Amino acid sequence: MLLQYNILSQLAFRHDYFHNQRLNSLEWIPSKATERLAKNCGLIFKPAKDSLKILASTDADNNNQLSDWLREDFSLTFFIRFNEPFWSNISEVSKPNNKCFYFTNIDKDATSSEVLLHQNELVTSEDLVEPVNKLIYTLGTAESGDFKIVQGINREDCSFAIKQIDNQYILDTKPLDEGIYNLTQGETLIKKLFISKQAGQFDAICHLAFSKDFGDTINADWTWGFKSFKVRFGTKATYWRYFLPYEKMEDLEGIQIINGIKDQVFNTGEKVAIQERDMIQFTSLSPIKLEEKRERGFQLRKNMGVRNKSEGVVISRLPEPEKTSLYRVDEQGNKYTEIYINL
């Protein structure tokens, strides 16, 4: 029998650092259960560096109607790796090694053709969960209080999976299905857990549910309208500091760093000593987002606001930090990126 396929949906990752916003460094790994479903029910996954197309087998008489094999609610889970070596330098949200991002279309507004898989405009630390793929997970001592675990999607109480052994609470993952769970202590949410049957290091997990009863993904007659699921990351913003040789600047007046529309975005500069050399340090008035390619750069000008002297350009376009640049954090938690210029 000849099968025909149509695009059911697309999953796209975007990052504001990149000029075209495409996060071209993704590796897609379907879960074992998703692989079995794809093999048995006529699904094909076509991964790209920044997106994943999901194709479904369709009725021979209706290109936009699912085949009989797929006429039940189903869900798909994908594990994702970010193969971007400088992720922490460019991304607004730092990802601890023991956590990963979790994205799902459940409980999201799915009425539009493009659905964000996170609650806010950009991904935040609220989208982080702790993956657990070991059989035993120690929660705490008996003195620390009662624990409860609830399935994050259907809200089912799964506290039967928590056992007390000696003086420890233990989460035994055997009775639990793969998926997202909320772990509470009394009324307090302790953490979100993703219980995985699949070992390995992953940066993100995407869980997509397709149903004619919720989420506006499948119609009552098993047809569908193309829907793009989207994840959007913000770019890191740091205070920028330019350092220029003092001896080249000391005779100039009205020195300012301005942006493309002539707004002053840095302070007026101060003399500092760097490794026994006098420098002029200019610090941005607020954090500046890092970008792969900026439409308008920063310019160093002289005689700004100086009476009887015409303005002039000292440096027409100041260099900008590369994504390979490290930044430092001061005692108040402010992030600084430093750029040294030799004239």
Side-chain angles (χ1 to χ4, degrees):
M1 181 179 71
L2 291 177
L3 297 178
Q4 57 187 22
Y5 290 85
N6 245 1
I7 298 177
L8 177 64
S9 65
Q10 175 177 281
L11 182 58
F13 274 58
R14 298 292 178 255
H15 197 300
D16 284 356
Y17 170 80
F18 298 101
H19 186 58
N20 58 9
Q21 293 198 334
R22 292 184 173 178
L23 183 56
N24 289 321
S25 61
L26 302 181
E27 181 181 353
W28 304 87
I29 304 162
S31 70
K32 298 300 183 185
T34 296
E35 279 187 331
R36 287 194 298 271
L37 179 69
K39 182 178 180 180
N40 295 332
C41 297
L43 290 172
I44 292 177
F45 308 130
K46 296 187 69 175
K49 291 181 178 179
D50 67 318
S51 60
L52 175 76
K53 284 187 173 66
I54 302 169
L55 287 77
S57 59
T58 56
D59 188 282
D61 299 320
N62 187 340
N63 287 342
N64 207 37
Q65 191 173 67
L66 293 176
S67 66
D68 292 340
W69 301 339
L70 284 166
R71 293 193 183 183
E72 290 184 8
D73 296 349
F74 62 93
S75 61
L76 307 173
T77 300
F78 299 95
F79 301 96
I80 299 161
R81 293 192 182 104
F82 303 150
N83 295 321
E84 166 54 65
F86 299 102
W87 176 266
S88 62
N89 283 7
I90 63 175
S91 297
E92 184 179 27
V93 181
S94 298
K95 187 188 73 63
N97 290 333
N98 66 328
K99 292 190 176 182
C100 67
F101 295 103
Y102 177 76
F103 307 113
T104 181
N105 63 323
I106 296 173
D107 294 334
K108 303 295 189 299
D109 180 10
T111 56
S112 64
S113 60
E114 188 173 76
V115 181
L116 282 176
L117 296 183
H118 38 88
Q119 298 292 347
N120 302 294
E121 181 184 359
L122 298 172
V123 173
T124 69
S125 57
E126 295 176 7
D127 299 299
L128 288 168
V129 300
E130 184 175 336
V132 176
N133 54 36
K134 296 180 181 178
L135 180 63
I136 300 286
Y137 183 76
T138 303
L139 305 178
T141 63
E143 287 79 14
S144 60
D146 292 333
F147 290 93
K148 182 178 179 181
I149 189 162
V150 176
Q151 222 279 355
I153 292 175
N154 60 23
R155 309 294 187 255
E156 178 187 355
D157 185 350
C158 302
S159 295
F160 61 84
I162 297 176
K163 303 174 183 178
Q164 187 175 339
I165 301 177
D166 295 328
N167 198 37
Q168 294 284 326
Y169 281 106
I170 302 293
L171 171 62
D172 185 344
T173 62
K174 274 185 176 178
L176 299 180
D177 293 331
E178 186 169 72
I180 191 78
Y181 293 84
N182 293 326
L183 178 65
T184 62
Q185 185 177 18
E187 299 298 321
T188 304
L189 176 66
I190 300 301
K191 61 181 64 178
K192 290 184 178 180
L193 298 172
F194 185 87
I195 293 179
S196 170
K197 305 298 184 182
Q198 200 152 322
Q201 287 289 107
F202 305 106
D203 296 301
I205 300 168
C206 274
H207 178 85
L208 302 178
F210 295 89
S211 169
K212 61 184 179 63
D213 296 322
F214 86 98
D216 197 29
T217 51
I218 306 291
N219 300 322
D221 62 352
W222 299 104
T223 61
W224 77 92
F226 175 78
K227 195 174 295 295
S228 178
F229 298 111
K230 186 177 179 182
V231 172
R232 185 180 166 206
F233 289 93
T235 184
K236 188 181 292 296
T238 63
Y239 287 92
W240 291 13
R241 276 182 172 162
Y242 285 106
F243 294 89
L244 296 100
Y246 177 74
E247 67 269 17
K248 302 290 186 179
M249 299 281 109
E250 61 179 328
D251 294 331
L252 300 178
E253 295 183 77
I255 292 292
Q256 286 186 18
I257 296 177
I258 63 172
N259 60 15
I261 54 177
K262 296 190 176 181
D263 291 330
Q264 183 181 355
V265 288
F266 285 75
N267 65 10
T268 53
E270 56 183 330
K271 184 179 178 182
V272 296
I274 304 293
Q275 294 182 350
E276 299 182 352
R277 183 182 184 186
D278 288 338
M279 308 284 284
I280 294 290
Q281 170 188 286
F282 296 90
T283 304
S284 63
L285 302 175
S286 59
I288 300 172
K289 289 186 176 182
L290 303 179
E291 295 181 14
E292 182 181 40
K293 181 180 177 182
R294 197 175 299 273
E295 295 296 332
R296 293 178 174 179
F298 299 117
Q299 195 173 81
L300 182 66
R301 285 180 168 248
K302 63 181 180 179
N303 300 328
M304 298 288 290
V306 178
R307 186 176 294 182
N308 300 325
K309 286 190 177 182
S310 58
E311 296 178 9
V313 176
V314 181
I315 301 177
S316 59
R317 189 179 181 113
L318 289 164
E320 298 185 4
E322 301 285 342
K323 68 177 180 179
T324 57
S325 301
L326 297 177
Y327 59 90
R328 65 178 186 83
V329 182
D330 67 11
E331 293 179 353
Q332 288 72 43
N334 297 315
K335 301 179 180 68
Y336 287 89
T337 299
E338 298 177 338
I339 307 163
Y340 293 84
I341 301 174
N342 248 331
L343 296 177

